[in-house]
Amino acid sequence: MGIEMELHSGRPARKRASRETLLRGSYQHGAALARALSSLDRHSSGKLGWIDPYGDTLFNEQEAHVAQQEVAALIHGCTDEEQKAALLDLADLLRACATTPGSYLWFMGD
């Protein structure tokens, strides 16, 4: 189980056309990111709890902005170095999404 992330300049298509909007991706921390987010409850953990480790989740720039504060708290309490690296990568992509008008951060779970 893992979660890969892609930052897109617009809403990504689920097929090959998504490459047209791809700005950058993160594929190296999938399992660690899934573990770091696994303790979050979808109903009471804010935006990060929405991320589905078994499916796809999209955040627009407004949702990414809100999630930035949530990931900062997770990083602060993290003691596992792999998970911390994954959360720092997530924080970087959330920041980029929040400051790029019309962008989306696509979480691809497997």
Coordinates of all heavy atoms in Angstrom, one line a residue, residues 22-66:
L22 N 0.6 17.9 -15.9 CA 1.6 17.5 -14.8 C 2.7 18.5 -14.6 O 3.4 18.8 -15.6 CB 2.2 16.1 -15.1 CG 3.2 15.6 -14.1 CD1 2.5 15.3 -12.7 CD2 3.8 14.3 -14.6
L23 N 2.8 19.0 -13.4 CA 3.9 20.0 -13.1 C 5.1 19.2 -12.5 O 6.2 19.4 -12.8 CB 3.4 21.1 -12.2 CG 2.4 22.0 -12.7 CD1 1.9 22.9 -11.7 CD2 2.9 22.8 -13.9
R24 N 4.8 18.3 -11.5 CA 5.8 17.5 -10.9 C 5.1 16.4 -10.0 O 3.9 16.5 -9.7 CB 6.8 18.3 -10.0 CG 6.2 18.9 -8.8 CD 7.3 19.7 -8.1 NE 6.7 20.5 -7.1 CZ 7.3 21.0 -6.1 NH1 8.6 20.8 -5.9 NH2 6.7 21.8 -5.2
G25 N 5.9 15.4 -9.7 CA 5.3 14.3 -9.0 C 6.2 13.8 -7.9 O 7.4 14.2 -7.8
S26 N 5.7 13.1 -7.0 CA 6.4 12.4 -5.9 C 6.0 11.0 -5.8 O 4.9 10.7 -5.6 CB 6.1 13.1 -4.5 OG 6.8 12.4 -3.5
Y27 N 7.0 10.1 -6.1 CA 6.7 8.7 -6.2 C 7.5 7.8 -5.2 O 7.3 6.6 -5.1 CB 6.9 8.2 -7.6 CG 6.3 9.1 -8.6 CD1 7.0 10.0 -9.4 CD2 4.9 9.1 -8.8 CE1 6.4 10.8 -10.3 CE2 4.3 10.0 -9.7 CZ 5.1 10.8 -10.5 OH 4.5 11.7 -11.4
Q28 N 8.5 8.4 -4.5 CA 9.4 7.7 -3.7 C 9.0 7.4 -2.3 O 9.6 6.6 -1.6 CB 10.8 8.3 -3.8 CG 10.9 9.6 -3.0 CD 10.5 10.8 -3.9 OE1 9.9 10.7 -4.9 NE2 11.0 12.0 -3.5
H29 N 8.0 8.1 -1.8 CA 7.6 7.9 -0.4 C 6.3 7.3 -0.2 O 5.6 7.5 0.9 CB 7.6 9.3 0.3 CG 8.9 10.1 0.3 ND1 10.0 9.7 0.9 CD2 9.2 11.2 -0.4 CE1 11.0 10.5 0.7 NE2 10.5 11.4 -0.1
G30 N 5.8 6.6 -1.1 CA 4.4 6.1 -1.1 C 4.0 5.3 0.1 O 3.0 5.6 0.8
A31 N 4.8 4.3 0.5 CA 4.4 3.5 1.6 C 4.6 4.2 3.0 O 3.7 4.1 3.8 CB 5.3 2.2 1.7
A32 N 5.6 5.0 3.1 CA 5.8 5.8 4.3 C 4.7 6.9 4.5 O 4.3 7.1 5.6 CB 7.2 6.5 4.2
L33 N 4.3 7.5 3.4 CA 3.2 8.5 3.4 C 1.9 7.8 3.9 O 1.2 8.3 4.7 CB 3.0 9.2 2.1 CG 1.9 10.3 2.1 CD1 2.2 11.4 3.1 CD2 1.8 10.9 0.7
A34 N 1.6 6.6 3.3 CA 0.4 5.9 3.7 C 0.5 5.6 5.2 O -0.6 5.7 5.9 CB 0.3 4.6 2.9
R35 N 1.6 5.2 5.7 CA 1.7 4.9 7.1 C 1.5 6.1 8.0 O 0.9 6.1 9.0 CB 3.1 4.2 7.5 CG 3.2 2.8 7.1 CD 4.4 2.1 7.7 NE 5.7 2.9 7.6 CZ 6.5 2.9 6.5 NH1 6.2 2.2 5.5 NH2 7.6 3.6 6.6
A36 N 2.1 7.2 7.5 CA 2.0 8.5 8.3 C 0.6 9.0 8.4 O 0.2 9.6 9.4 CB 2.9 9.5 7.7
L37 N -0.2 8.7 7.4 CA -1.6 9.2 7.3 C -2.6 8.2 7.8 O -3.8 8.5 8.0 CB -2.0 9.6 5.9 CG -1.1 10.8 5.3 CD1 -1.6 11.0 3.9 CD2 -1.2 12.0 6.1
S38 N -2.1 6.9 8.1 CA -3.0 5.8 8.4 C -3.8 6.0 9.8 O -4.9 5.5 9.9 CB -2.3 4.5 8.5 OG -1.4 4.5 9.6
S39 N -3.3 6.8 10.6 CA -3.9 7.0 11.9 C -5.0 8.1 11.9 O -5.7 8.3 12.9 CB -2.9 7.4 13.0 OG -2.3 8.7 12.7
L40 N -5.1 8.8 10.8 CA -6.1 9.9 10.7 C -7.5 9.3 10.4 O -7.7 8.4 9.6 CB -5.7 10.9 9.6 CG -4.4 11.6 9.8 CD1 -4.1 12.4 8.6 CD2 -4.3 12.4 11.1
D41 N -8.5 9.9 11.1 CA -9.9 9.6 10.9 C -10.5 10.5 9.8 O -10.4 11.7 10.0 CB -10.6 9.7 12.2 CG -12.1 9.4 12.2 OD1 -12.6 9.0 11.1 OD2 -12.8 9.5 13.2
R42 N -11.1 9.9 8.8 CA -11.7 10.7 7.7 C -12.7 11.7 8.2 O -12.9 12.8 7.6 CB -12.4 9.7 6.8 CG -13.0 10.4 5.6 CD -13.5 9.4 4.6 NE -14.2 10.1 3.5 CZ -13.7 10.5 2.4 NH1 -12.4 10.3 2.1 NH2 -14.4 11.0 1.4
H43 N -13.4 11.4 9.4 CA -14.5 12.3 9.8 C -14.0 13.4 10.8 O -14.8 14.3 11.1 CB -15.6 11.5 10.4 CG -16.1 10.5 9.4 ND1 -16.9 10.9 8.3 CD2 -16.0 9.2 9.3 CE1 -17.2 9.8 7.6 NE2 -16.7 8.7 8.2
S44 N -12.9 13.2 11.4 CA -12.5 14.2 12.4 C -11.0 14.7 12.3 O -10.5 15.4 13.2 CB -12.7 13.6 13.8 OG -11.8 12.5 14.0
S45 N -10.4 14.4 11.2 CA -9.0 14.8 11.0 C -8.7 15.8 10.0 O -7.6 16.0 9.6 CB -8.1 13.5 10.7 OG -8.1 12.6 11.7
G46 N -9.7 16.6 9.6 CA -9.5 17.6 8.7 C -9.3 17.1 7.3 O -9.7 16.0 6.9
K47 N -8.6 17.9 6.4 CA -8.5 17.5 5.0 C -7.6 16.3 4.8 O -7.9 15.5 3.9 CB -7.9 18.7 4.2 CG -8.7 19.9 4.2 CD -10.0 19.7 3.4 CE -10.8 21.0 3.4 NZ -12.1 20.8 2.9
L48 N -6.5 16.2 5.6 CA -5.6 15.0 5.3 C -6.3 13.7 5.6 O -5.9 12.7 5.0 CB -4.4 15.2 6.2 CG -3.4 16.3 5.9 CD1 -2.3 16.3 6.8 CD2 -3.0 16.2 4.4
G49 N -7.3 13.7 6.4 CA -8.1 12.4 6.7 C -8.9 12.0 5.4 O -9.3 10.8 5.4
W50 N -9.1 12.9 4.5 CA -9.8 12.5 3.3 C -9.0 11.7 2.3 O -9.5 11.0 1.4 CB -10.1 13.8 2.5 CG -11.2 14.7 3.1 CD1 -11.7 14.6 4.3 CD2 -11.7 15.8 2.5 NE1 -12.6 15.6 4.5 CE2 -12.6 16.4 3.4 CE3 -11.5 16.5 1.3 CZ2 -13.3 17.6 3.1 CZ3 -12.2 17.6 1.0 CH2 -13.1 18.2 1.9
I51 N -7.6 11.7 2.5 CA -6.8 11.0 1.5 C -7.0 9.5 1.6 O -6.9 8.9 2.7 CB -5.3 11.3 1.7 CG1 -5.1 12.8 1.5 CG2 -4.4 10.5 0.8 CD1 -3.8 13.3 1.9
D52 N -7.4 8.9 0.5 CA -7.7 7.4 0.5 C -6.5 6.6 0.0 O -6.1 6.8 -1.1 CB -8.9 7.2 -0.5 CG -9.3 5.8 -0.6 OD1 -8.8 4.9 0.1 OD2 -10.3 5.5 -1.4
P53 N -5.9 5.8 0.9 CA -4.8 5.1 0.5 C -5.0 4.0 -0.5 O -4.1 3.4 -1.0 CB -4.3 4.4 1.9 CG -5.5 4.4 2.7 CD -6.4 5.6 2.3
Y54 N -6.3 3.7 -0.8 CA -6.7 2.6 -1.8 C -7.3 3.2 -3.0 O -7.7 2.5 -3.9 CB -7.6 1.7 -1.1 CG -7.1 1.0 0.1 CD1 -7.5 1.4 1.4 CD2 -6.1 0.0 0.0 CE1 -6.9 0.8 2.5 CE2 -5.5 -0.6 1.1 CZ -6.0 -0.2 2.4 OH -5.4 -0.7 3.5
G55 N -7.4 4.5 -3.1 CA -8.0 5.1 -4.3 C -7.4 6.5 -4.6 O -6.3 6.8 -4.1
D56 N -8.1 7.3 -5.3 CA -7.6 8.6 -5.7 C -8.3 9.7 -4.9 O -9.5 9.6 -4.7 CB -7.8 8.8 -7.2 CG -7.0 7.9 -8.1 OD1 -6.0 7.3 -7.5 OD2 -7.2 7.8 -9.3
T57 N -7.6 10.7 -4.6 CA -8.1 11.9 -3.9 C -7.5 13.1 -4.6 O -6.3 13.2 -4.9 CB -7.7 11.9 -2.4 OG1 -8.1 10.6 -1.9 CG2 -8.4 13.0 -1.7
L58 N -8.3 14.1 -4.8 CA -7.8 15.4 -5.4 C -8.0 16.5 -4.4 O -9.1 16.6 -3.7 CB -8.7 15.8 -6.6 CG -8.3 15.1 -8.0 CD1 -9.3 15.5 -9.0 CD2 -6.9 15.4 -8.4
F59 N -7.0 17.4 -4.2 CA -7.1 18.6 -3.5 C -7.0 19.7 -4.4 O -6.0 19.7 -5.2 CB -6.0 18.7 -2.4 CG -6.2 17.9 -1.2 CD1 -7.2 17.0 -1.0 CD2 -5.4 18.2 -0.1 CE1 -7.4 16.3 0.2 CE2 -5.5 17.5 1.1 CZ -6.5 16.6 1.3
N60 N -7.9 20.7 -4.4 CA -7.6 21.9 -5.1 C -6.8 22.9 -4.3 O -6.3 22.5 -3.2 CB -9.0 22.6 -5.5 CG -9.8 23.0 -4.3 OD1 -9.3 23.3 -3.3 ND2 -11.1 23.1 -4.5
E61 N -6.5 24.1 -4.8 CA -5.5 24.9 -4.1 C -6.1 25.4 -2.7 O -5.3 25.6 -1.8 CB -5.2 26.2 -5.0 CG -6.4 27.0 -5.3 CD -6.1 28.0 -6.4 OE1 -5.6 29.1 -6.1 OE2 -6.4 27.7 -7.6
Q62 N -7.4 25.6 -2.6 CA -7.9 26.0 -1.3 C -7.8 24.8 -0.3 O -7.5 25.1 0.9 CB -9.4 26.4 -1.4 CG -9.6 27.6 -2.2 CD -9.7 27.4 -3.8 OE1 -9.8 26.2 -4.2 NE2 -9.5 28.4 -4.5
E63 N -8.1 23.6 -0.7 CA -8.0 22.5 0.2 C -6.5 22.2 0.6 O -6.2 21.9 1.8 CB -8.5 21.2 -0.4 CG -10.1 21.3 -0.6 CD -10.6 20.3 -1.5 OE1 -10.0 19.9 -2.5 OE2 -11.8 19.9 -1.3
A64 N -5.6 22.4 -0.3 CA -4.2 22.3 -0.1 C -3.7 23.3 1.0 O -2.9 23.0 1.9 CB -3.4 22.5 -1.4
H65 N -4.3 24.5 0.9 CA -3.9 25.6 1.8 C -4.3 25.2 3.2 O -3.5 25.3 4.2 CB -4.6 26.9 1.4 CG -4.3 28.0 2.4 ND1 -3.1 28.6 2.5 CD2 -5.1 28.6 3.3 CE1 -3.2 29.6 3.4 NE2 -4.4 29.6 3.9
V66 N -5.5 24.7 3.4 CA -6.0 24.2 4.7 C -5.1 23.1 5.2 O -4.8 23.0 6.4 CB -7.5 23.8 4.7 CG1 -7.9 23.2 6.0 CG2 -8.3 25.1 4.3

